[in-house]
């Protein structure tokens, strides 16, 4: 067993359940309740987690896990165990929990003693006092701390959801980047071959030097494009390593699966909106913050109206008679400088601000549901169009040119050029498929409760690239 | 105009008697042209009817002493050679139009019916006629609209070899095939009598393999060169007897090219142009005659050398079929490297090979291959590579010959001269005697003559 702590095991179980549920949703089509219900369970469980589940995973175990092709489930296990951001979340939960405990505790009473040495004898006075506001407001203070803990719980849970989908996105991007690299390698091979054929013709004296150079330029350019594709893959791989919290000594990541092609129809925007609104951790966090602010305002109002600050008992021994006298003691605030209005006003404003932010978040979630759904719809249609229509046309175009080559109407260069262009179209398809899965991840993350504002603001809408179609002429 | 059945029969009989042909119904489906026309009966005036190989002669009837012809301009599905069909425009179901044949002094009336979707007109190229009959659309007449029939009527004031063609939107309509030959015999025989009088229309087309309609917009890259609308190996041979006097009338209505037509085995003289006869002192022997576009040339010779003799345009690209001019020059390099490159990087190339293993019913398997030798720009194969090719296309060169593959195409046919000619049916290949047949030199021969 790699992860020993009970709390960490629970997190792993819940997060894996969420992962598998969302994977199934992606493979089988829309499952409106999966992500939301599991997120709800996760949100309920997280507050009971221990705040510092130190990872009991050692280097050789990391190596063992990475020795096999990495799937999402294993990736999440590693991230929960190794990612310091996860531990930071646990720690924040601990802080919140102890702040709640602290809020429920009464402050300790203060024992005062003084003695005055008169000639008739010493006068001794004992007093035991305690701030009364503690006593009066403990219930309100506790409820504020509880609301603030809810804020932290929702935030930490949202961070876990975000981590899960960040891992998924990186794996999608790596799979796509790897496919692009493979296509580009084929493109480089074809361009190199074309360049070699140009060289043969030039050496035979059949074409101009510039034609040979042109072929070499194309091959060189293809190499540059391959380098860029490899760099992109490396970027995503490093990003995934960081998300998993892998140590520098960990072996390279090898992914388990190719980029899947079975893209289901995206869920309806209305369904996404309802799911997202019901399970939104961001909105829950804002509502909890508003609740805390509301209670803070109540407390500020009560403080404003309560002048009594301290109370206690005092005992005094008179010096001459030596008799002891006991009686109560109170401290009353005299509100001549600070009437408490400013504090109350600040608390009221904070409450209104929290309410506004909660409403804004609600609108953001609904807007994101529509936006992500629209993007997924477009991505789904683009993927279908490219797979069913565009790519077959590109292949057919190559086949048509092969026929013309067989008929000696054109040379091999035109066919190779068309093939290279078809590889470019396949690359475009991989990128389209990648963007579609990313759009689906955006939707599922939102339905799982987390609004990813970085993705919301991403403006990488598909742009039409220019892929001219050869007429079949030329060499 | 009304025509009685008697007049119709009389006219048909007269036509048949003159032409030696049965009147041919203007049926678009009837496109069978016998490779061996029936023997012709010489006209009482001494003239022999012409032979339009792979074509026909337009029948006529006589109405009140006027020879009446009917040309129907219409779309025609035309076969240039086996495996290559074009959606062309023609006359009476043929491409090109049937040869009009008459006698100097004849009054002729030609009805032209337009069954195209486009207006047209008909010009009688080289003939002396009233200006209003000249057929230039917009100049000498209004165009013949679709569905209309125009009447052209005039008296033939000259004899010689002429042509007819559309003179409305010429570039398009001639590129689609609207042209034909027009032969006027002298009223009284002049000069020598010939035993064979062949008529050829030279023309050029642009239609890439896989296309079905000629491209009239092409200005320079013509890839189908035809004799009477046929490209070798679709051309029929001229069959003559040894010692026969042969006349060949050549008309050229190619869009952009002249044609130096070369005949092997004999020398000939150019005896006439479309401007008239050339006086004998002005004739000289030669073996190649340049036929400018828009002109006719008539050559005569005695077929005194038996054998199978090539007759072709000497522009080398004019004896190619559907040649790809966009291929690199592979001479001096190993052409297999290019196939290998495609095998390595283009799976569709190998798939095309598999596809080619099962040709469609009725489709001739791909010709070509190394066995034929030759080579086009170093490809190493003669006509085409193995593998699936566009439908509706023919190899660039080639037809089977007695000694292998004849590496010619387009504007090419064969003059077959035989000592004993029983009919004009194709007699098969000429068998040279061993001593007159080129063959590999023996070591003894090389040694005898001091050849290394």
């Amino acid at each position: 067993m790699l992860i020993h702590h009970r709390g960490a095991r629970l997190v792993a179980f819940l997060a894996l359940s969420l992962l598998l549920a969302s994977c199934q949703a992606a493979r089988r089509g829309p499952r409106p309740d999966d992500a939301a219900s599991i997120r709800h369970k996760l949100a309920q469980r997280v507050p009971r987690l221990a705040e510092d589940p130190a990872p009991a995973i050692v280097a050789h175990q990391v190596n063992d896990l990475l020795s096999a092709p990495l799937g999402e489930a294993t990736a999440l296990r590693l991230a929960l165990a190794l990612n310091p951001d996860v531990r930071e979340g646990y720690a924040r939960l601990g802080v919140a929990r102890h702040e709640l405990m602290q809020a429920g505790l009464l402050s300790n009473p203060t024992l005062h003693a003084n003695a005055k040495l008169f000639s008739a004898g010493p006068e001794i006075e004992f007093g035991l006092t305690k701030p009364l506001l503690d006593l009066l407001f403990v219930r309100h203070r506790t409820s504020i701390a509880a609301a603030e803990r809810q804020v932290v719980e929702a935030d930490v849970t949202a961070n876990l959801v975000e981590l899960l989908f960040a891992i998924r996105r990186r794996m999608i991007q790596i799979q796509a980047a790897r496919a692009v690299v493979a296509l580009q390698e084929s493109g480089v091979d074809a361009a190199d071959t074309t360049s070699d054929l140009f060289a043969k013709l030039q050496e035979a004296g059949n074409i101009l030097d510039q034609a040979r150079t042109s072929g070499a330029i194309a091959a060189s350019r293809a190499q540059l494009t391959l380098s860029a594709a490899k760099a992109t893959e490396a970027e995503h791989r490093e990003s995934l390593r960081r998300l998993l919290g892998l140590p520098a000594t960990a072996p390279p990541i090898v992914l388990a699966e190719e980029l899947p092609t079975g893209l289901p129809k995206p869920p309806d925007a209305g369904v996404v909106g309802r799911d997202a609104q019901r399970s939104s951790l961001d909105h829950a966090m804002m509502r909890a913050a508003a609740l805390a602010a509301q209670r803070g305002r109540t407390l500020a109002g009560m403080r404003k109206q309560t002048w009594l600050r301290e109370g206690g008992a005092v005992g005094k021994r008179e010096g001459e008679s030596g008799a002891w006298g006991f009686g109560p003691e109170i401290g009353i605030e005299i509100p001549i400088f600070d009437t408490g209005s400013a504090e109350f006003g600040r608390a009221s404003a904070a409450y209104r601000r929290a309410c506004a932010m909660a409403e804004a978040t609600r609108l953001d979630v609904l807007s994101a549901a529509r936006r992500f759904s629209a993007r997924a719809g477009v991505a789904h249609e683009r993927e279908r169009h490219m797979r069913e229509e565009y790519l077959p046309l590109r292949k057919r175009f190559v086949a048509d040119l092969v026929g013309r080559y067989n008929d000696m109407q054109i040379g091999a260069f035109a066919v190779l050029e068309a093939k290279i262009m078809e590889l470019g179209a396949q690359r475009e398809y991989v990128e389209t498929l990648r963007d579609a899965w990313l759009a689906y991840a955006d939707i599922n993350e939102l339905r799982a409760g987390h609004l990813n504002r970085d993705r919301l603001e991403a403006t990488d809408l598909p742009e039409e690239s220019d892929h001219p179609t050869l007429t079949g002429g030329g060499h | 105009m009304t025509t009685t059945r008697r007049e119709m029969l009389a006219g048909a009989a007269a036509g048949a008697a003159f032409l030696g042909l049965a009147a041919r119904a203007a049926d678009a489906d009837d496109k069978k042209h016998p490779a061996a026309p029936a023997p012709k009966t010489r006209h009482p005036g001494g003239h022999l009817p012409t032979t339009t190989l792979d074509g026909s002669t337009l029948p006529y009837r006589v109405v009140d002493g006027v020879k009446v012809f009917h040309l129907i301009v219409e779309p025609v599905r035309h076969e240039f050679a086996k495996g290559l069909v074009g959606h062309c425009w023609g006359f009476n179901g043929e491409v090109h139009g049937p040869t009009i044949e008459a006698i100097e002094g004849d009054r002729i009336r030609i009805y032209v019916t337009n069954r195209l979707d486009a207006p047209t007109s008909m010009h009688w190229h080289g003939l002396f006629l009233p200006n209003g009959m000249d057929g230039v659309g917009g100049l000498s007449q209004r165009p013949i609209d679709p569905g209309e029939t125009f009447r052209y009527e005039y008296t033939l004031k000259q004899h010689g070899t002429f042509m007819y063609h559309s003179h409305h939107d010429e570039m398009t309509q001639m590129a689609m095939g609207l042209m034909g030959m027009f032969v006027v015999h002298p009223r009284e025989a002049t000069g020598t009598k010939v035993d064979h009088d062949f008529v050829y229309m030279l023309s050029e087309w642009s239609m890439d393999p896989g296309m079905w309609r000629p491209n009239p917009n092409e200005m320079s890259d013509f890839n189908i060169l035809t004799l009477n609308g046929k490209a070798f190996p679709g051309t029929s041979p001229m069959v003559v007897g040894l010692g026969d006097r042969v006349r060949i009338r050549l008309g050229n209505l190619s869009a952009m090219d002249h044609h130096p037509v070369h005949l092997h085995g004999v020398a000939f003289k150019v005896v006439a142009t479309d401007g008239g006869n050339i006086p004998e002192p002005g004739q000289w022997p030669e073996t190649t005659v340049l036929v400018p576009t828009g002109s006719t040339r008539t050559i005569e010779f005695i077929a005194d050398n038996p054998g199978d003799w090539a007759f072709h345009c000497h522009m080398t690209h004019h004896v190619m079929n559907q040649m790809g001019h966009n291929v690199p020059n592979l001479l001096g390099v190993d052409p297999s490297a290019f196939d290998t490159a495609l095998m390595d990087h283009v799976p569709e190339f190998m798939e095309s090979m598999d596809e080619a293993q099962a040709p469609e019913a009725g489709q001739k398997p791909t010709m070509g291959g190394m066995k034929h030798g030759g080579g086009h720009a170093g490809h190493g194969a003669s006509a085409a590579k193995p593998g699936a090719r566009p439908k509706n296309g023919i190899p660039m060169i080639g037809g089977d010959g007695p000694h292998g593959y004849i590496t010619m195409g387009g504007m090419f046919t064969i003059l077959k001269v035989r000592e004993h000619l029983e009919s004009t049916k194709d007699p098969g290949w000429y068998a040279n005697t061993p001593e007159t047949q080129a063959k590999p030199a023996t070591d003894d021969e090389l040694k005898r003559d001091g050849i290394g």
Side-chain angles (χ1 to χ4, degrees):
Chain A
M1 192 64 191
L2 299 177
I3 303 171
H4 299 288
H5 197 279
R6 178 177 173 279
R9 286 201 302 271
L10 188 55
V11 169
F13 169 74
L14 292 171
L16 282 170
S17 300
L18 177 59
L19 170 70
L20 294 174
S22 57
C23 287
Q24 288 171 345
R27 285 177 183 145
R28 294 195 303 252
R31 292 280 305 275
D33 296 331
D34 283 356
S37 62
I38 290 178
R39 186 222 54 80
H40 185 64
K41 290 177 186 174
L42 184 60
Q44 285 181 324
R45 297 298 182 104
V46 167
R48 297 208 297 269
L49 298 175
E51 56 270 21
D52 187 18
I57 185 167
V58 293
H60 75 86
Q61 292 168 323
V62 171
N63 292 353
D64 287 347
L65 282 175
L66 291 177
S67 64
L70 184 68
E72 276 195 1
T74 306
L76 189 59
R77 286 177 65 189
L78 286 166
L80 290 174
L82 300 178
N83 189 331
D85 298 326
V86 174
R87 294 208 306 278
E88 186 270 346
Y90 295 151
R92 285 174 58 207
L93 280 176
V95 170
R97 196 181 97 178
H98 287 94
E99 283 178 351
L100 176 59
M101 289 173 59
Q102 185 65 47
L105 296 176
L106 294 177
S107 58
N108 294 323
T110 305
L111 178 64
H112 306 280
N114 64 66
K116 299 182 179 66
L117 300 177
F118 295 106
S119 57
E123 183 179 288
I124 300 173
E125 184 177 307
F126 294 97
L128 185 65
T129 61
K130 178 177 184 328
L132 291 179
L133 287 182
D134 255 6
L135 198 57
L136 294 174
F137 301 151
V138 64
R139 188 173 65 84
H140 295 88
R141 204 173 56 236
T142 303
S143 69
I144 291 171
E148 288 174 342
R149 194 185 69 168
Q150 287 178 28
V151 172
V152 174
E153 288 169 357
D155 190 34
V156 169
T157 309
N159 286 347
L160 286 176
V161 173
E162 183 180 16
L163 175 64
L164 164 65
F165 283 95
I167 290 171
R168 173 173 292 181
R169 283 194 192 87
R170 288 298 173 272
M171 296 182 84
I172 290 170
Q173 285 164 326
I174 291 170
Q175 288 165 337
R178 193 173 54 186
V180 166
V181 166
L183 286 168
Q184 192 56 37
E185 284 172 343
S186 297
V188 165
D189 287 346
D192 285 346
T193 299
T194 302
S195 180
D196 290 345
L197 293 177
F198 271 123
K200 289 184 195 301
L201 289 177
Q202 190 268 342
E203 286 160 9
N206 297 4
I207 60 172
L208 295 173
D209 293 353
Q210 69 188 51
R212 176 178 185 164
T213 307
S214 170
I217 288 173
S220 176
R221 191 74 213 168
Q223 192 67 51
L224 286 173
T225 308
L226 174 60
S227 299
K230 286 181 175 176
T232 300
E233 182 185 359
E235 285 279 326
H236 291 312
R237 284 186 181 279
E238 181 51 39
S239 177
L240 180 60
R241 289 178 70 92
R242 171 62 185 86
L243 286 173
L244 302 186
L246 294 181
T249 55
I253 294 172
V254 178
L255 294 189
E257 298 173 358
E258 301 287 324
L259 191 61
T261 54
L263 200 64
K265 189 178 177 185
D268 178 74
V271 172
V272 175
R274 281 194 297 276
D275 287 352
Q277 193 171 16
R278 186 169 57 231
S279 59
S280 172
L281 291 163
D282 303 277
H283 193 219
M285 187 167 61
M286 287 301 167
R287 280 187 287 123
L291 179 63
Q294 182 193 38
R295 290 171 179 171
R297 186 186 68 165
T298 301
L299 188 58
M302 293 176 67
R303 286 173 61 91
K304 180 183 175 187
Q305 294 171 355
T306 305
W307 296 347
L308 192 61
R309 289 290 180 269
E310 289 183 331
V314 62
K316 187 173 181 180
R317 177 183 179 279
E318 284 188 350
E320 291 183 1
S321 65
W324 284 89
F326 297 95
E329 180 181 346
I330 60 172
I332 295 173
E333 182 182 20
I334 302 172
I336 55 176
F337 302 119
D338 180 1
T339 61
S341 297
E343 183 183 354
F344 180 74
R346 188 204 64 80
S348 297
Y351 171 59
R352 291 194 301 275
R353 175 172 179 261
C355 288
M357 289 174 68
E359 176 60 11
T361 301
R362 189 181 72 84
L363 292 177
D364 284 348
V365 167
L366 290 174
S367 174
R370 292 189 293 269
R371 206 160 165 178
F372 288 155
S373 294
R375 286 183 193 173
V378 170
H380 178 259
E381 176 53 25
R382 276 178 62 84
E383 188 274 341
R384 185 206 63 76
H385 183 87
M386 291 198 75
R387 176 169 41 81
E388 294 182 0
E389 298 183 34
Y390 185 63
L391 285 182
L393 284 173
R394 277 287 175 195
K395 277 190 73 66
R396 198 172 88 190
F397 184 64
V398 173
D400 289 344
L401 289 191
V402 165
R404 298 200 72 211
Y405 173 79
N406 289 338
D407 205 35
M408 296 164 63
Q409 295 294 310
I410 58 173
F413 296 118
V415 181
L416 287 168
E417 188 179 355
K419 174 52 74 176
I420 290 172
M421 291 173 70
E422 187 206 332
L423 290 171
Q426 288 185 34
R427 172 183 176 152
E428 194 181 4
Y429 170 71
V430 168
E431 291 166 349
T432 300
L433 182 63
R434 174 202 66 195
D435 291 346
W437 283 120
L438 292 177
Y440 280 37
D442 293 343
I443 285 182
N444 285 331
E445 184 176 6
L446 187 67
R447 292 170 68 202
H450 179 243
L451 169 58
N452 192 320
R453 293 183 182 277
D454 290 341
R455 295 291 301 166
L456 186 67
E457 296 307 323
T459 55
D460 52 349
L461 291 174
E463 292 181 6
E464 272 312 304
S465 55
D466 185 23
H467 285 280
T469 301
L470 291 176
T471 59
H475 288 182
Chain B
M1 185 192 77
T2 59
T3 304
T4 66
R5 179 175 171 77
R6 180 185 298 274
E7 287 172 328
M8 179 75 82
L9 291 173
F18 174 71
L19 299 171
L21 292 171
R24 184 177 180 282
D27 183 350
D29 293 332
D30 180 11
K31 305 182 194 68
K32 297 176 182 174
H33 310 305
K40 303 202 172 189
T41 304
R42 199 176 291 274
H43 183 265
H47 312 297
L48 190 69
T50 60
T51 298
T52 306
L53 290 171
D54 303 312
S56 70
T57 302
L58 185 65
Y60 64 89
R61 55 181 168 264
V62 178
V63 180
D64 296 333
V66 178
K67 288 182 177 173
V68 179
F69 299 86
H70 188 191
L71 285 173
I72 300 171
V73 186
E74 59 189 354
V76 176
R77 184 179 181 277
H78 173 64
E79 185 179 73
F80 294 95
K82 186 171 176 57
L84 179 59
V85 169
H87 295 167
C88 305
W89 292 350
F91 299 88
N92 301 29
E94 297 180 21
V95 170
H96 300 295
T99 299
I100 296 174
E101 197 165 6
I103 297 175
E104 184 179 6
D106 280 351
R107 181 73 176 176
I108 63 168
R109 185 181 299 141
I110 306 174
Y111 289 95
V112 177
T113 297
N114 181 6
R115 289 186 183 165
L116 300 176
D117 290 333
T120 189
S121 72
M122 208 49 56
H123 169 59
W124 317 102
H125 187 110
L127 288 165
F128 303 148
L129 36 65
N131 182 252
M133 293 292 162
D134 199 36
V136 180
L139 175 64
S140 47
Q141 67 168 82
R142 76 164 173 82
I144 310 170
D145 284 332
E148 282 191 312
T149 298
F150 266 43
R151 177 180 59 81
Y152 296 86
E153 184 168 337
Y154 46 88
T155 299
L156 298 173
K157 299 179 177 176
Q158 67 208 102
H159 65 265
T161 304
F162 310 100
M163 300 177 284
Y164 64 94
H165 61 84
S166 164
H167 216 305
H168 182 84
D169 190 11
E170 272 192 25
M171 182 199 81
T172 298
Q173 299 199 359
M174 293 177 70
M176 291 293 288
L178 291 186
M179 60 186 72
M181 296 295 289
F182 196 139
V183 175
V184 182
H185 296 276
R187 174 62 61 181
E188 299 297 334
T190 58
T192 54
K193 291 182 180 177
V194 296
D195 300 299
H196 304 274
D197 194 344
F198 295 104
V199 175
Y200 278 112
M201 171 65 81
L202 315 179
S203 59
E204 60 191 8
W205 314 71
S206 172
M207 197 170 77
D208 287 342
M211 293 182 183
W212 295 85
R213 195 177 303 280
N215 177 16
N217 298 327
E218 181 57 59
M219 193 174 86
S220 58
D221 195 6
F222 298 95
N223 59 359
I224 303 173
L225 285 295
T226 56
L227 297 169
N228 288 340
K230 294 285 185 179
F232 186 79
T235 51
S236 297
M238 293 180 282
V239 180
V240 303
L242 183 64
D244 285 353
R245 176 170 286 275
V246 181
R247 176 184 295 144
I248 302 176
R249 302 171 188 262
L250 301 163
N252 180 12
L253 285 178
S254 299
M256 300 296 291
D257 285 300
H258 317 304
H259 298 293
V261 177
H262 176 55
L263 176 59
H264 294 212
V266 298
F268 56 75
K269 289 182 177 178
V270 181
V271 299
T273 72
D274 40 348
N277 292 332
I278 300 174
E280 193 163 350
Q283 301 172 8
W284 62 86
E286 56 186 332
T287 62
T288 299
V289 57
L290 180 66
V291 188
T293 185
S295 296
T296 70
R297 295 289 183 268
T298 301
I299 64 172
E300 289 181 4
F301 60 93
I302 295 174
D304 54 2
N305 196 357
D308 291 339
W309 303 106
F311 175 80
H312 60 95
C313 176
H314 218 287
M315 290 195 176
T316 54
H317 283 240
H318 290 183
V319 285
M320 302 291 290
N321 290 322
Q322 296 187 300
M323 179 181 162
H325 292 119
N326 289 319
V327 292
N329 176 9
L330 303 188
L331 291 170
V333 297
D334 177 8
S336 67
F338 292 78
D339 281 352
T340 303
L342 295 191
M343 288 177 193
D344 290 345
H345 300 290
V346 185
E348 291 84 353
F349 181 62
M350 294 306 294
E351 291 165 11
S352 80
M353 299 297 168
D354 297 337
E355 195 180 326
Q357 300 304 312
E360 289 185 9
Q363 190 174 28
K364 188 177 179 182
T366 304
M367 281 191 280
M370 298 300 286
K371 66 175 183 176
H372 295 301
H376 161 52
H379 276 296
S382 63
K385 292 174 172 298
R389 306 165 52 223
K391 292 175 181 170
N392 197 37
I394 51 176
M396 289 182 192
I397 47 177
D400 290 331
H403 302 290
Y405 205 60
I406 301 174
T407 57
M408 304 293 278
M411 211 171 262
F412 177 91
T413 190
I414 301 167
L415 172 69
K416 297 196 172 186
V417 182
R418 296 291 184 273
E419 294 181 38
H420 305 290
L421 187 66
E422 295 179 356
S423 76
T424 53
K425 184 180 177 184
D426 187 346
W429 301 113
Y430 185 76
N432 292 292
T433 57
E435 63 273 16
T436 62
Q437 178 63 58
K439 56 191 172 186
T442 64
D443 291 342
D444 289 344
E445 289 168 338
L446 294 172
K447 187 175 180 181
R448 177 195 67 200
D449 295 331
I451 306 298

